[in-house]
């Protein structure tokens, strides 16, 4: 199909006219999905129109111009950013029918269950087990740092199905119904006082074989798709210039800067300007990357955006905290604890500063991003990997 930017704007306007700019999020997203405007590069009938992803910006701009806030990842971030492309790439027609639209509308939240207490960066070494029993698999083990597990209907579950195979080859990937008997979810409180993530325990949890994505033993390939998409999802914003975190810094600078002693003011002005430039470079790079993105399986270049935006976000929140002077060190009185209703831990400036410390850990640490970029993009010599061909059960733990 050949569609122009104006065609996409007209189709988006038609959705806005049909459901109204004040529509609830679920019916609004449902109408976008049906019109092929969820992700325009997706196939027709599956949330897209099969056209260039560069046209997606027209959808978002048209919605923004109507005065409605819209960001595709504003709800069910993990489901939409990671679950959707994984199910689209590896799922059967039944999986597509059952899950894709409900993920996009946010009716079913999804979580990612990869990390374990002793396996985060080295996730391929994980030890939660699934054993086949007829048409079902029986899962035992534990996951950790599972964001929004307590709000999720489904989980992307990576488990070991063949301990005799080398670590990358003995994994399988399942869709887990989080309401299955034997799934226990316990909150983990972060430095912010929020519990947006969890420990998840599995005791004889039964999963139908039909919930497998990819083949038995092919879990690492499927997981790589999820991880690559995670990096793209975390890798920067395509929202308008100067919005988001950098806007918080600029607003604060406009309020506080005038009262600073001249020498301090000059230094802080340079710092704010430099961060603004870096945020804009990041935004433009993300827009360029999106225009070239492929459906389902982005390449290792996604790690550039993840690395750069995580480190920039921390520098911006450091500047916000410095700008506040000593009061920047104060956290909310009583250090309140809460169970999050989503990702982020935002609210106060101090909470956002504390939450930003996780940016260089979640979705793969900055060290791991540098390894990926060094090895897979720059083709530098790889790290020594002595356990790559050893049966997983023989690797000392
Ligand atoms: C806020 C938050 C949300 C998260 N949400 C999820 C989630 O929803 N689902 C999920 O599965 N996981 C989640 N995680 C877990 C996250 O993916 C892991 O924390 C991360 O991959 C690092 O693993 P680790 O904590 O085990 O640290 P480790 O792997 O033990 O790393 C410790 C240190 O060693 C460094 N290191 C490790 N290996 C290497 C290496 N080969 N080369 C150089 N340096 C290395 C690391 O960079 C780090 O500094 C979340 C984490 C956070 C902080």
């Amino acid at each position: 199909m050949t569609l122009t930017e104006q065609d996409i704007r007209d189709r988006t306007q038609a959705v806005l006219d049909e459901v109204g700019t004040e529509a609830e999020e679920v019916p609004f997203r449902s109408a976008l999905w049906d019109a092929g405007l969820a992700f325009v590069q997706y196939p027709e009938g599956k949330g897209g129109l099969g056209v260039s992803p560069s046209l997606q910006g027209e959808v978002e701009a048209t919605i923004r111009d109507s005065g409605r806030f819209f960001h595709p990842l504003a709800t069910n971030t993990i489901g939409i950013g990671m679950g959707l492309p994984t199910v689209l790439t590896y799922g059967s027609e039944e999986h597509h029918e059952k899950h894709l639209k409900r993920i996009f509308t946010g009716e079913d939240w999804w979580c990612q269950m990869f990390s374990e207490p002793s396996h985060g960066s080295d996730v391929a070494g994980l030890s939660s087990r699934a054993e086949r029993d007829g048409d079902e698999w029986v899962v035992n083990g534990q996951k950790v740092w599972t964001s929004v597990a307590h709000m999720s209907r489904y989980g992307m579950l990576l488990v070991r199905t063949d301990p005799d195979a080398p670590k990358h080859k003995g994994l399988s990937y399942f869709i887990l119904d989080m309401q299955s008997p034997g799934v226990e979810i316990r909150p983990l409180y972060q430095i912010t006082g929020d519990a947006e993530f969890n420990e998840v325990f599995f005791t004889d949890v039964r999963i139908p074989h039909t919930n497998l994505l990819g083949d038995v033993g092919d879990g690492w390939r499927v997981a790589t798709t999820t991880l690559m998409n995670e990096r793209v999802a975390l890798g920067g914003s395509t929202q308008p210039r100067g919005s988001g975190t950098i806007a918080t810094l600029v607003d604060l600078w406009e309020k506080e800067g005038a009262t600073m002693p001249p020498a301090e003011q000059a230094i802080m002005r340079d710092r704010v300007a430099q961060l603004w430039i870096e945020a804009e470079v990041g935004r433009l790079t993300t827009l360029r990357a999106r225009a070239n993105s492929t459906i389902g399986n982005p390449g290792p270049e996604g790690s550039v955006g993840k690395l750069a935006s995580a480190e920039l976000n921390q520098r911006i929140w450091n500047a916000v905290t410095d700008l506040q002077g000593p009061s920047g060190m104060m956290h909310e009185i009583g250090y309140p604890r809460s169970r999050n209703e989503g990702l982020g831990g935002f609210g106060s400036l101090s909470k956002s500063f504390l939450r930003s410390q996780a940016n260089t850990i979640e979705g793969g640490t900055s060290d791991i991003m540098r390894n990926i970029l060094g090895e897979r993009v720059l083709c530098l010599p790889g790290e020594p990997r002595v356990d790559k061909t050893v049966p997983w059960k023989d690797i000392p733990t």
Side-chain angles (χ1 to χ4, degrees):
M1 190 186 315
T2 314
L3 290 173
T4 64
E5 292 177 0
Q6 190 55 47
D7 293 332
I8 298 291
R9 282 186 166 260
D10 291 345
R11 285 172 184 233
T12 311
Q13 191 57 51
V15 168
L16 287 162
D17 293 343
E18 182 199 325
V19 294
T21 52
E22 304 296 322
E24 299 278 327
E25 196 67 8
V26 170
F28 182 68
R29 283 174 173 259
S30 177
L32 280 180
W33 183 272
D34 292 341
L37 300 168
F39 294 103
V40 292
Q41 71 273 29
Y42 277 25
E44 282 186 72
K46 293 182 182 172
L49 297 165
V51 297
S52 164
S54 60
L55 290 171
Q56 187 65 30
E58 302 306 319
V59 176
E60 286 164 33
T62 311
I63 299 173
R64 230 177 9 248
D65 292 349
S66 78
R68 183 185 176 106
F69 170 80
F70 177 74
H71 187 295
L73 300 180
T75 182
N76 192 19
T77 309
I78 293 174
I80 297 171
M82 299 148 69
L84 199 57
T86 308
V87 176
L88 182 69
T89 308
Y90 295 100
S92 60
E93 277 305 315
E94 289 74 40
H95 292 138
H96 289 182
E97 191 57 38
K98 182 172 175 187
H99 295 299
L100 293 180
K101 183 174 173 183
R102 290 179 68 85
I103 294 176
F104 182 72
T105 59
E107 285 163 281
D108 290 335
W109 278 48
W110 283 50
C111 61
Q112 173 206 22
M113 291 183 292
F114 287 9
S115 302
E116 298 189 356
S118 53
H119 291 95
S121 300
D122 179 27
V123 72
L126 60 80
S127 59
S128 287
R129 283 293 314 276
E131 286 168 291
R132 187 134 189 195
D133 182 20
D135 288 339
E136 293 182 322
W137 290 81
V138 181
V139 181
N140 284 284
Q142 185 201 339
K143 298 289 171 179
V144 74
W145 321 125
T146 316
S147 304
V148 300
H150 57 297
M151 300 171 61
S152 295
R153 180 60 212 269
Y154 293 98
M156 296 164 254
L157 177 66
L158 190 63
V159 281
R160 188 154 307 280
T161 44
D162 183 359
D164 295 322
K167 63 180 184 178
H168 291 89
K169 303 222 161 101
L171 298 168
S172 300
Y173 192 122
F174 294 92
I175 299 171
L176 172 66
D177 182 341
M178 298 296 285
Q179 294 174 359
S180 307
V183 177
E184 189 192 345
I185 301 167
R186 297 187 198 158
L188 281 176
Y189 287 90
Q190 294 156 254
I191 192 174
T192 52
D194 291 335
E196 77 188 69
F197 55 28
N198 304 271
E199 300 177 287
V200 183
F201 297 86
F202 311 114
T203 311
D204 293 332
V205 176
R206 291 191 164 265
I207 306 183
H209 180 72
T210 48
N211 283 20
L212 183 73
L213 289 184
D215 294 327
V216 176
D218 200 23
W220 184 249
R221 193 161 64 99
V222 186
T224 304
T225 295
T226 307
L227 290 169
M228 295 295 185
N229 280 286
E230 178 173 31
R231 281 148 206 172
V232 171
L234 293 172
S237 167
T238 53
Q239 293 297 296
R241 171 183 291 178
S243 64
T245 310
I246 194 66
T248 308
L249 176 64
V250 172
D251 287 351
L252 196 66
W253 160 249
E254 282 167 0
K255 261 197 260 142
E256 305 286 335
T259 61
M260 286 178 135
E264 234 177 90
Q265 191 190 54
I267 293 169
M268 189 49 92
R269 187 193 304 116
D270 274 1
R271 193 169 161 197
V272 172
Q274 180 61 33
L275 289 167
W276 192 93
I277 292 165
E278 288 176 41
E280 182 58 7
V281 168
R283 192 182 75 88
L284 294 175
T285 308
T286 306
L287 279 175
R288 209 152 39 99
R290 184 162 80 174
N292 293 326
S293 67
T294 49
I295 302 173
N297 232 336
E301 315 75 52
S303 300
V304 178
K306 163 44 173 107
L307 174 65
S309 73
E311 304 217 331
L312 174 62
N313 206 38
Q314 287 182 350
R315 284 202 298 281
I316 293 174
W317 284 112
N318 288 348
V320 166
T321 305
D322 289 347
L323 248 174
Q324 295 169 80
S327 64
M329 289 187 287
M330 303 289 285
H331 194 46
E332 285 155 67
I333 290 169
Y335 208 108
R337 281 182 145 204
S338 68
R339 188 74 161 128
N340 268 48
E341 292 287 300
L343 285 174
F346 306 109
S348 65
L349 296 182
S350 65
K351 199 177 247 192
S352 299
F353 165 76
L354 292 173
R355 178 60 179 78
S356 73
Q357 306 311 308
N359 296 156
T360 46
I361 304 172
E362 59 195 328
T365 69
S366 287
D367 302 316
I368 296 301
M369 294 306 114
R370 289 191 176 91
N371 282 352
I372 293 170
L373 292 169
E375 291 179 24
R376 299 193 46 204
V377 178
L378 302 175
C379 300
L380 298 173
E383 279 192 280
R385 291 191 179 86
V386 290
D387 58 4
K388 214 175 161 188
T389 53
V390 179
W392 175 81
K393 66 175 176 14
D394 297 334
I395 299 173
T397 52

